Amino acid sequence: MRQMKAETGITITAEALRDMEEEAGRAFPAEACGVLLAEAGERRICGLRVLENRIKGEEAERFFEIDPLKLYRAEQEAEKGQRKIIGFFHSHTEAEAVLSETDESYMIPGMLYLILSLKERGSGRLRAYLKSDPGSPAREVPVETAAAQI
Amino acid sequence: MKIYVTATLRNFFGRNPLIELEGKSIRGILSLLTDEYPDGKKVLFEDNGKLRSFVQIYVGDENRTDEGEWDKELPADAELMLLPAVAGGAPQESIIPDERRKAVFFDDAEVERFGRQLMLRDIGVKGQKRIKASRVVVAGAGALGSPVIQYLAAAGVGTIKAVDFDEVRLENLQSQVLHTSRDLKRPKVASAKDKIRNLNKNINFEAENLKLEADNIVSVIDGYDLVIDCTDNFKARYLISDACVLCGIPLVFGAIYQFEGQVGIFNLNGGPCFRCQFPEPPEAGLVPSCSEGGAISPLPGIIGSIQANEALKLIIGIGEHLDGKLLTVDSLYLRSKILKVKKRCDCPVCGSNAQITKVEDYDYEDFCGLKAKEEEVPIPALTPEELAKRIESGDPITIVDVREPHERAILRFPDAVVIPIGQLARRKNELDPELDTVFICKEGKRSILAINTLREAGYAGPMYSLQGGIDAMKDIIFPHEGAWL
């Protein structure tokens, strides 16, 4: 796992972003979640793996949780495909794309956390956060969308 | 024993996916593992030794994260897995908890009544349920309270408590649009209750005909979601803000003066409080209240409507609001700006070392300079009756009117010398120290300031303040004099 650098932003491919938006729309009103994948040695988000939000019912409208064993399997598969998990995404259905207290308390240092808000429009709907050390606070990382691949 | 480390944490374990260690229990293995990888210890455990919330421990398919499992002996061929817990949640943006929202239902009439709000994407059924579930205290049923109470009720706030000790007077009708001439001399909260019952009888309207004081405020606001400050004086503002901090209730503040107004949100989620922005009140008498300084009719309508709008946004949980900000509006030149309010770490009520822990123990009268200080010589005063008697008996006295020219144009005081406060010290020689000098103003506050100013300037003659000002005197002599416009 490569440590993210805060100074530089993160790029997401248009396809990965579209997949994320589709999944967030499909899961609505529950929160969607999954892992962010990058090619080995790169820090561009080139794909997603949607994982099940194991919180059910109305609670899922404000919370998400991924089964650690399913993550383990996703991790194994990614490695087989020469890809790496560089972070996680989830959607906020009613709130802005900002970290909640719960989000921050569960942040794994060095992992990128992408939040897609269904409430906001425009570039503010997608925000990324990173915590570099276990003790330090999370900070926002700029996100850019790469042009669609032809 | 083999330990699998998730790729998401591998950086802290020398990038090894699989580590082999001799150990018989989870606790033993974790201890050996963290000895070997000090970075790993920091990422797995908090400073107090607790496992961090994003770490999950599995043995095969079984979750063994709970510390009660850590001392059990593991089979030699078991594989321990350190996996990530990936979880989170959306921030709670509304001040109304979900359980309360879910307990609310609408009938057909309500669906029709609130249709215009229900159709807004950002409000919808959920937002309208939050509005109905909310419980709001409005402190003051006067100029600002009028629009606040009416709009909150119209929007569907389920419980509104209005607190005011005053009665409706003729001069209130210019800006307090909740009251009418039929309500003169009635308690303002009783008048408010009637209007709200006419608007929507399903609203639980609690009328408290009461002056907020340190010994009653907590019982008035405790258990409510939001307090809206629509009062007109600094003592009430500090009292309300402090009580909100101590009860953990957010506050929507509003104030007006002549052509200008302010709105701010204080004490939201540990944000700054009113004292952070205004650590001390202005000197007593320096900034006149609305009743003394005046205000243009629609100004409380503008400021109160913004307060009601901010309150609804907090209740629904939408938009950007004035949390930690102060909006100032100048209605004369149509200018507005938003100032940032910083939380003061030395704030005596919300700072890290707060000294005010109970409002009952704090002297608000003294803080706002409303108490005669012991070391100060008290200001002698004449009641309107006493002054009238002395004027009638033809006693040689000097009467000094310290009001502004536009105030004198409304009501002239016969045979008074006119000296504005700012010129008193300079013009003290115009006064005869052998005679009693009576200072008059509108409400009897500036006359005290005038006497203090002259005392400081070294004037030694006998001075009196007209108690209650010309407002208290006008029924006594002026109707006969024809001094009104």
Side-chain angles (χ1 to χ4, degrees):
Chain A
M1 244 307 293
R2 207 156 54 87
Q3 200 91 26
M4 294 290 158
K5 280 190 190 144
E7 295 73 35
T8 52
I10 188 87
T11 310
I12 180 166
T13 61
E15 292 85 350
L17 180 59
R18 193 195 54 221
D19 288 352
M20 194 186 302
E21 286 182 321
E22 274 179 17
E23 172 57 19
R26 193 199 57 75
F28 183 89
E31 289 193 1
C33 52
V35 297
L36 303 170
L37 299 166
E39 302 288 344
E42 278 192 28
R43 51 180 282 108
R44 187 179 65 147
I45 302 163
C46 64
L48 312 172
R49 168 83 195 270
V50 171
L51 291 169
E52 184 194 348
N53 180 357
R54 76 168 172 188
I55 293 180
K56 298 292 168 211
E58 232 181 292
E59 284 286 284
E61 294 173 20
R62 266 193 62 215
F63 297 99
F64 82 97
E65 198 179 298
I66 302 173
D67 181 348
L69 289 175
K70 289 193 173 149
L71 254 170
Y72 168 72
R73 265 166 243 136
E75 196 171 295
Q76 302 281 304
E77 276 173 34
E79 280 172 9
K80 259 186 230 160
Q82 300 295 307
R83 287 176 156 194
K84 287 190 170 183
I85 296 177
I86 62 166
F88 310 95
F89 75 89
H90 72 278
S91 60
H92 282 175
T93 56
E94 284 207 315
E96 290 164 7
V98 292
L99 277 186
S100 67
E101 270 177 45
T102 331
D103 287 337
E104 191 162 353
S105 69
Y106 276 98
M107 276 178 93
I108 300 169
M111 286 278 135
L112 191 76
Y113 285 75
L114 210 57
I115 304 175
L116 178 71
S117 164
L118 299 186
K119 194 186 112 177
E120 287 181 278
R121 301 169 185 93
S123 59
R125 74 194 193 286
L126 186 69
R127 292 201 175 98
Y129 301 87
L130 180 79
K131 188 187 257 189
S132 18
D133 301 303
S136 64
R139 56 174 189 272
E140 195 179 334
V141 180
V143 196
E144 265 179 47
T145 311
Q149 309 267 314
I150 303 162
Chain B
M1 182 169 297
K2 283 181 186 157
I3 301 136
Y4 174 82
V5 181
T6 163
T8 57
L9 291 175
R10 224 167 270 165
N11 246 8
F12 301 90
F13 294 91
R15 303 191 184 190
N16 291 320
L18 220 51
I19 297 168
E20 288 226 38
L21 286 169
E22 297 296 322
K24 289 192 166 59
S25 67
I26 293 176
R27 196 181 299 280
I29 290 165
L30 286 176
S31 156
L32 289 170
L33 185 68
T34 51
D35 282 350
E36 200 170 327
Y37 300 98
D39 279 354
K41 184 173 185 173
K42 276 189 224 154
V43 81
L44 293 185
F45 294 98
E46 290 176 29
D47 293 341
N48 61 11
K50 252 185 72 191
L51 196 69
R52 291 191 191 272
S53 49
F54 56 76
V55 184
Q56 295 283 301
I57 301 169
Y58 276 75
V59 176
D61 283 351
E62 275 178 53
N63 191 331
R64 299 277 181 92
T65 314
D66 189 77
E67 223 182 313
E69 303 275 336
W70 290 10
D71 295 311
K72 291 181 185 162
E73 196 166 322
L74 296 171
D77 59 346
E79 188 181 302
L80 196 82
M81 294 198 288
L82 289 180
L83 297 178
V86 177
Q92 169 66 282
E93 300 201 335
S94 164
I95 56 170
I96 308 300
D98 281 350
E99 313 85 77
R100 300 236 316 265
R101 170 186 46 93
K102 286 176 201 163
V104 164
F105 297 94
F106 295 125
D107 59 25
D108 290 350
E110 283 174 310
V111 171
E112 190 180 342
R113 177 188 281 265
F114 300 116
R116 299 279 164 88
Q117 273 182 170
L118 288 167
M119 68 172 67
L120 289 176
R121 178 179 179 268
D122 290 326
I123 300 181
V125 175
K126 267 189 187 172
Q128 193 63 44
K129 283 188 170 181
R130 286 180 181 137
I131 297 174
K132 187 174 177 182
S134 65
R135 298 161 53 79
V136 180
V137 177
V138 183
L144 290 171
S146 286
V148 168
I149 291 169
Q150 290 185 91
Y151 276 120
L152 292 186
V157 169
T159 300
I160 299 172
K161 180 190 267 188
V163 193
D164 203 311
F165 65 97
D166 228 347
E167 289 178 353
V168 179
R169 280 173 293 155
L170 188 59
E171 69 199 58
N172 298 149
L173 302 186
Q174 177 213 236
S175 58
Q176 307 188 7
V177 293
L178 190 55
H179 315 298
T180 67
S181 42
R182 286 186 169 198
D183 302 309
L184 292 174
K185 296 192 176 155
R186 293 182 71 204
K188 287 183 180 175
V189 289
S191 161
K193 188 168 185 153
D194 287 351
K195 307 300 161 12
I196 298 315
R197 201 188 295 125
N198 283 339
L199 181 67
N200 182 353
K201 65 175 174 15
N202 292 326
I203 286 172
N204 178 21
F205 190 89
E206 300 166 356
E208 290 260 22
N209 191 7
L210 174 84
K211 186 168 189 176
L212 285 174
E213 296 286 359
D215 59 4
N216 62 25
I217 186 160
V218 172
S219 64
V220 169
I221 67 170
D222 200 27
Y224 288 77
D225 302 307
L226 185 65
V227 175
I228 306 183
D229 181 356
C230 300
T231 61
D232 65 350
N233 64 85
F234 282 93
K235 182 190 151 192
R237 289 173 189 145
Y238 282 102
L239 175 67
I240 291 168
S241 173
D242 291 355
C244 282
V245 172
L246 297 173
C247 296
I249 304 172
L251 171 69
V252 180
F253 159 79
I256 49 169
Y257 176 64
Q258 297 188 340
F259 294 94
E260 289 171 45
Q262 300 181 334
V263 186
I265 295 176
F266 295 115
N267 192 40
L268 179 66
N269 301 325
C273 75
F274 180 74
R275 269 182 201 268
C276 295
Q277 172 66 15
F278 304 103
E280 279 182 2
E283 202 183 315
L286 205 62
V287 178
S289 71
C290 254
S291 59
E292 210 183 13
I296 191 167
S297 280
L299 180 65
I302 298 168
I303 299 300
S305 299
I306 297 175
Q307 283 181 283
N309 200 51
E310 291 298 296
L312 288 172
K313 276 152 55 186
L314 288 176
I315 290 166
I316 306 161
I318 53 170
E320 275 190 28
H321 41 64
L322 290 167
D323 177 24
K325 292 174 204 155
L326 193 69
L327 167 74
T328 67
V329 179
D330 177 345
S331 73
L332 191 57
Y333 295 101
L334 291 172
R335 287 186 192 122
S336 69
K337 58 187 176 215
I338 293 178
L339 312 169
K340 271 198 176 169
V341 179
K342 276 196 182 156
K343 192 173 170 80
R344 293 165 58 105
C345 48
D346 61 345
C347 174
V349 66
C350 77
S352 45
N353 233 332
Q355 298 104 45
I356 304 171
T357 51
K358 271 174 87 179
V359 284
E360 292 96 316
D361 300 340
Y362 191 81
D363 193 337
Y364 289 89
E365 297 259 322
D366 187 43
F367 178 63
C368 296
L370 303 174
K371 249 185 180 173
K373 291 194 179 100
E374 278 172 27
E375 66 269 27
E376 275 179 13
V377 187
I379 307 282
L382 290 183
T383 63
E385 291 78 12
E386 283 166 350
L387 179 59
K389 212 177 271 176
R390 291 193 65 169
I391 292 171
E392 264 173 45
S393 67
D395 257 9
I397 51 168
T398 314
I399 298 172
V400 179
D401 187 345
V402 298
R403 293 173 306 153
E404 300 296 318
H406 65 270
E407 297 178 272
R408 294 198 307 272
I410 303 169
L411 182 63
R412 188 180 61 85
F413 198 99
D415 302 322
V417 182
V418 172
I419 310 179
I421 285 192
Q423 297 175 12
L424 269 174
R426 183 155 45 88
R427 293 171 60 183
K428 64 174 186 287
N429 294 338
E430 294 175 27
L431 304 174
D432 184 351
E434 301 297 317
L435 292 183
D436 283 353
T437 305
V438 185
F439 291 85
I440 59 168
C441 64
K442 187 172 185 290
E443 293 188 329
K445 287 178 192 154
R446 279 175 290 170
S447 52
I448 293 174
L449 194 67
I451 293 173
N452 280 329
T453 307
L454 275 171
R455 274 184 181 170
E456 272 173 36
Y459 180 78
M463 296 186 283
Y464 298 88
S465 161
L466 171 61
Q467 220 171 57
I470 288 180
D471 279 1
M473 187 133 191
K474 59 192 175 197
D475 292 334
I476 299 182
I477 53 168
F478 297 111
H480 316 293
E481 300 268 331
W484 285 97
L485 283 178

